[in-house]
Amino acid sequence: MSSPFLAPSKVKVVGDALPNIPWQDRSADDSSVVWRYSNNPVIPRNPFPESNSAFNSAVVTFKGKFAGVFRCDHTDRNQELHVGFSDDGLKWKINPEKIKFIGADADIAKWSYGYDPRVVWIEDRYYVTWCNGYYGPTIGIAWTKDFETFHQLENAFLIFNRNGVLFPRKINGRYLMLSRPSDNGHTPFGDIFVSASPDLTFWGQHRHVLARGLTGWQSLKIGAGPIPIETSEGWLMFYHGVLQSCNGYVYSWSAALLDLEKPWKVIAAPRPYLMSPQTPYECMGDVANVTFPCAALVDAPTGRCAIYYGCADTVTSLAFCRVDEVLAWLKQNKV
Ligand code: BMA
């Protein structure tokens, strides 16, 4: 079935043709704007024996195939980052050895924990950002060209901060990163901000982007998800939102549109979610009721988009959408 939100296809997605991204058409009886892969989850909780859970992970194209940085919490329940490779984006081989970052100042290089990675290609290399333990959570940055050697840079911000997400190109000569200032615990608050840097070391010009509390599903806190997608209409930013129920936090996600030149200006923010935890693998696991997107692969000419999202802090799943349909939906469902 096609979506009732089908837009005239004048929307242009900036990016490469990626005809081989994972894809499954929306089923005939489904009119959702975002739909789930029928064989979810694609990554089980224990891709190697020491893994307790594999979720909230980042996938990119690499040498015509796919690579990623995966959050694997170990059976000692430390949060670690692992590399994985896949021919089709569906079947993954995840390296049981955790990533060993090199090159950082000795003080920064002391590993404590790392989680919720994002990966982005900017100019000539891949950059990884993640929630890095340094006397509390902040945003770590590293780069790689081959997914074997990872060069760690300075942490971007002071503690406490999470959900550091780089834009895929410099804007007006500066790198831009979304983030969500937080606390040292489970943070019952949080808005999305953006910061600029000339060199990925020194960050400033902090601007407020989007506030929590626009509607119920995003009433407690919000945080950026995948790398923003550049379109002719603006930056498409998928983001998660959290509400507090009598049973705890519930993590859903949706999409907003940001100005291309000044992404702290919001063009449209959504009233409803696009996905909330509804399937058994999203509702049951180490943390119930979590859907948490961290990566999107887009085939620019067609606008087909595959989104990797963590489920219940336990496994990783895939969802699909079309960029023009999401933008048309957002126009009709903005706050
Ligand atoms: C956040 C992070 C995420 C996690 C979420 C739900 O604070 O730890 O990795 O998915 O909580 O537990």
Side-chain angles (χ1 to χ4, degrees):
M1 184 189 272
S2 64
S3 158
F5 302 106
L6 201 57
S9 54
K10 64 176 175 52
V11 173
K12 283 213 164 36
V13 180
V14 178
D16 295 331
L18 304 176
N20 62 335
I21 60 170
W23 184 254
Q24 184 174 55
D25 282 328
R26 184 173 18 227
S27 68
D29 56 353
D30 190 356
S31 63
S32 331
V33 181
V34 167
W35 61 98
R36 293 170 175 82
Y37 180 49
S38 59
N39 286 331
N40 275 346
V42 288
I43 301 169
R45 66 183 304 157
N46 50 0
F48 53 88
E50 209 187 341
S51 173
N52 165 80
S53 40
F55 59 108
N56 299 3
S57 297
V59 168
V60 288
T61 52
F62 177 62
K63 293 186 177 168
K65 297 177 178 175
F66 304 94
V69 175
F70 294 83
R71 171 178 177 175
C72 296
D73 292 4
H74 285 194
T75 48
D76 62 7
R77 295 308 296 268
N78 209 39
Q79 298 146 332
E80 306 289 359
L81 299 177
H82 289 249
V83 167
F85 298 97
S86 172
D87 288 348
D88 59 6
L90 297 170
K91 287 183 283 316
W92 286 89
K93 282 205 182 94
I94 296 179
N95 190 343
E97 302 295 318
K98 64 184 185 184
I99 296 175
K100 291 192 182 66
F101 294 96
I102 63 164
D105 178 90
D107 200 41
I108 297 300
K110 282 185 234 152
W111 181 260
S112 161
Y113 57 80
Y115 61 81
D116 296 359
R118 313 311 202 263
V119 183
V120 60
W121 173 265
I122 307 178
E123 291 173 0
D124 63 350
R125 63 194 70 191
Y126 296 95
Y127 290 93
V128 187
T129 55
W130 71 95
C131 185
N132 191 33
Y134 183 76
Y135 303 92
T138 181
I139 307 302
I141 312 180
W143 63 266
T144 183
K145 293 193 173 184
D146 54 11
F147 286 88
E148 284 171 19
T149 309
F150 288 80
H151 305 261
Q152 188 172 0
L153 307 177
E154 292 290 318
N155 290 327
F157 307 123
L158 284 172
I159 55 172
F160 305 104
N161 205 312
R162 293 183 172 108
N163 297 299
V165 178
L166 284 164
F167 281 75
R169 65 170 172 85
K170 288 182 185 166
I171 299 175
N172 296 319
R174 304 219 189 283
Y175 298 94
L176 288 193
M177 178 146 62
L178 300 163
S179 76
R180 206 273 307 286
S182 70
D183 68 12
N184 200 18
H186 296 299
T187 317
F189 63 86
D191 292 357
I192 299 175
F193 288 77
V194 68
S195 307
S197 172
D199 55 7
L200 290 168
T201 297
F202 297 96
W203 293 88
Q205 297 177 321
H206 313 288
R207 297 282 183 279
H208 184 264
V209 178
L210 192 60
R212 65 192 180 278
L214 292 180
T215 52
W217 67 272
Q218 51 191 332
S219 51
L220 192 71
K221 57 178 168 176
I222 56 174
I227 304 306
I229 297 165
E230 186 169 5
T231 78
S232 50
E233 316 285 295
W235 293 102
L236 177 60
M237 177 185 73
F238 290 106
Y239 70 101
H240 67 262
V242 182
L243 71 76
Q244 186 160 27
S245 83
C246 53
N247 270 335
Y249 289 180
V250 178
Y251 283 70
S252 306
W253 54 278
S254 196
L257 192 64
L258 311 178
D259 184 82
L260 282 178
E261 288 299 301
K262 296 180 175 167
W264 49 95
K265 307 263 180 234
V266 178
I267 299 169
R271 197 171 33 75
Y273 60 70
L274 281 168
M275 180 184 285
S276 75
Q278 297 186 3
T279 66
Y281 54 86
E282 294 159 353
C283 297
M284 287 185 283
D286 286 353
V287 181
N289 305 320
V290 180
T291 55
F292 197 99
C294 285
L297 300 172
V298 188
D299 177 39
T302 63
R304 293 179 308 132
C305 179
I307 295 176
Y308 290 82
Y309 67 102
C311 301
D313 285 13
T314 305
V315 295
T316 303
S317 287
L318 259 176
F320 306 106
C321 60
R322 289 181 184 274
V323 168
D324 57 351
E325 292 182 2
V326 173
L327 292 177
W329 172 88
L330 184 55
K331 254 183 207 158
Q332 293 174 31
N333 288 280
K334 62 183 184 190
V335 178

